[in-house]
């Protein structure tokens, strides 16, 4: 569970002997195929015929709001890593925006994130968990399949179980798109539905995979984490679309930090929003590397250099 003593911990996974991140089977995931593939098909087939200036603007605004408030600030930095605290009404609002992204409910996103986080900290893990295969196979695996580990880790969700809102959102996260679609249809017709729902969800799910694949295979590095079998890389071109999440090498170095863009010139809109909340009295206990202190086992790369994973030992790929 979340640890106030270790801001770098994998918060919801039970730390115990027995789970194995290496042995498992990748299987086609029918709900993922229908949901992710269906949204992409609608966007690709209907999108060009229904594109208008207002639909394009809606796509940009809703995608940006979902990725900023939902995926980056709500789900990732607040709920998963506990990098800041907020009032209950704001917490629920940000978590709803996380579901609005269209990738998973709160329990599902925690399981997916923390399983991968835990596995990459081991000496070796399944290639599914380290994005350690070809780009096309990895796209199929990550977007349309699931990994069933032979000995998966267990989770303790007591912290979020206390609020029934999380359980309701987990059960209904796909259905959350329906009232949004109805509102969009009433205002802008089918063009707004296709671009404000289907295209937005398709770009979020497929873009999340692409940035994740690159961030575990190639790019600049400032840090390595000793004893971790998988290291991370930054994806500079994706810094703005991901609201700062693409500085993934920094995130692996300080996973509990609300600030991910740590170096000069590294855009981090997610942290800017958290700082705004803090100034308004809506966020507290905001964690940064400056407040968390030195992390044991963290080594600075002498010079930020560009590496490609094939040059690294297999266990070090990410």
């Amino acid at each position: 569970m979340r640890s106030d003593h270790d801001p770098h911990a994998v918060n919801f996974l039970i730390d115990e002997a027995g789970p194995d991140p290496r042995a498992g089977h990748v299987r086609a995931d029918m709900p993922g195929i229908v949901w992710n593939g269906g949204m992409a098909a609608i966007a690709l087939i209907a999108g060009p015929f229904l594109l208008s200036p207002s639909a394009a603007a809606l796509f940009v605004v809703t995608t940006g709001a979902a990725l900023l408030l939902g995926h980056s600030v709500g789900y990732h930095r607040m709920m998963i890593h506990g990098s800041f605290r907020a009032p209950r009404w704001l917490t629920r609002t940000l978590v709803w925006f996380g579901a609005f992204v269209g990738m998973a409910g709160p329990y599902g996103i925690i399981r997916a994130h923390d399983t991968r986080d835990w596995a990459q900290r081991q000496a070796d893990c399944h290639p599914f968990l380290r994005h350690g295969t070809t780009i096309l196979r990895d796209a199929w695996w990550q977007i349309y399949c699931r990994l069933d580990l032979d000995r998966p880790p267990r989770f303790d969700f007591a912290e979020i179980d206390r609020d029934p809102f999380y359980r309701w959102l987990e059960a209904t996260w796909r259905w959350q798109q329906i009232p949004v679609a109805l509102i969009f249809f009433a205002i802008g017709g089918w063009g707004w539905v296709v671009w404000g729902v289907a295209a937005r969800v398709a770009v979020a799910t497929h873009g999340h995979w692409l940035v994740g694949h690159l961030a575990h295979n190639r790019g600049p590095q400032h840090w390595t984490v000793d004893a971790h079998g998988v290291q991370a890389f930054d994806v500079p071109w994706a810094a703005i679309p991901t609201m700062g999440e693409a500085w993934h090498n920094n995130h692996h170095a300080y996973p509990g930090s609300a600030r991910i863009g740590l170096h000069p010139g590294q855009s981090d809109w997610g942290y800017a929003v958290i700082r705004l909340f803090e100034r308004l009295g809506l966020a507290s206990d905001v964690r940064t590397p400056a407040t968390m202190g030195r992390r044991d086992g963290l080594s600075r790369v002498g010079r930020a250099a560009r590496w490609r994973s094939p040059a690294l030992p297999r266990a070090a790929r990410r």
Side-chain angles (χ1 to χ4, degrees):
M1 281 301 295
R2 193 181 309 285
S3 171
D4 292 329
H5 303 292
D6 182 6
H8 310 294
V10 182
N11 289 321
F12 293 91
L13 187 141
I14 298 174
D15 186 12
E16 60 183 355
D20 183 358
R22 296 166 298 177
H25 302 277
V26 178
R27 295 185 171 91
D29 180 55
M30 190 53 63
I33 292 173
V34 172
W35 180 256
N36 297 330
M39 290 293 184
I42 292 170
L44 290 172
I45 295 171
F49 299 101
L50 296 171
L51 181 61
S52 67
S54 64
L58 180 70
F59 168 77
V60 172
V61 170
T62 56
T63 302
L67 295 177
L68 176 59
L69 298 176
H71 179 260
S72 180
V73 176
Y75 264 7
H76 192 210
R77 306 192 203 202
M78 181 189 68
M79 184 181 71
I80 291 175
H81 287 290
S83 66
F84 71 98
R85 300 181 188 276
R88 187 179 187 186
W89 69 265
L90 181 56
T91 297
R92 285 181 166 187
T93 300
L94 294 172
V95 170
W96 181 86
F97 270 101
F100 176 66
V101 173
M103 289 196 297
Y107 288 78
I109 203 74
I110 289 171
R111 285 185 181 277
H113 178 281
D114 280 11
T115 299
R116 190 179 301 275
D117 192 350
W118 158 76
Q120 291 178 356
R121 297 177 186 220
Q122 312 307 311
D124 192 16
C125 63
H126 194 283
F128 180 100
L129 295 168
R130 67 173 188 269
H131 294 274
T133 184
T134 63
I135 190 168
L136 291 180
R137 178 183 291 177
D138 194 51
W140 166 248
W141 278 8
Q142 304 295 334
I143 304 171
Y144 300 108
C145 297
R146 70 178 191 273
L147 171 65
D148 293 333
L149 288 172
D150 295 344
R151 289 185 290 166
R154 294 189 302 130
F155 291 82
D156 182 351
F157 291 112
E159 182 173 336
I160 62 174
D161 276 341
R162 291 194 291 266
D163 189 343
F165 177 78
Y166 287 84
R167 297 194 297 274
W168 171 75
L169 203 56
E170 178 67 21
T172 64
W173 66 270
R174 289 188 179 93
W175 299 103
Q176 299 299 318
Q177 307 297 332
I178 293 180
V180 174
L182 292 174
I183 294 172
F184 288 170
F185 180 77
I187 298 173
W190 284 112
W192 275 37
V193 174
V194 169
W195 284 96
V197 177
R200 168 178 53 79
V201 172
V203 166
T205 54
H206 291 72
H208 182 264
W209 157 74
L210 178 60
V211 175
H213 178 85
L214 297 177
H216 296 95
N217 283 280
R218 59 183 64 85
Q221 258 187 335
H222 290 87
W223 318 90
T224 59
V225 185
D226 301 347
H228 286 197
V230 178
Q231 302 297 328
F233 305 87
D234 291 332
V235 188
W237 65 263
I240 292 178
T242 63
M243 309 302 167
E245 298 290 330
W247 306 117
H248 201 60
N249 181 248
N250 295 340
H251 178 59
H252 271 234
Y254 295 98
S257 174
R259 182 180 181 183
I260 299 178
L262 301 180
H263 304 288
Q266 293 187 337
S267 171
D268 190 351
W269 288 18
Y271 181 61
V273 167
I274 295 170
R275 288 284 290 151
L276 177 61
F277 288 158
E278 187 177 34
R279 291 189 185 100
L280 295 174
L282 298 175
S284 60
D285 299 329
V286 178
R287 289 173 169 171
T288 67
T291 67
M292 292 186 297
R294 179 178 176 83
R295 183 183 183 186
D296 292 337
L298 183 64
S299 299
R300 181 72 183 264
V301 175
R303 176 172 170 269
R306 180 167 298 276
W307 301 87
R308 296 182 67 87
S309 62
L312 297 173
R314 181 179 178 187
R317 291 182 189 172
R318 194 131 180 215

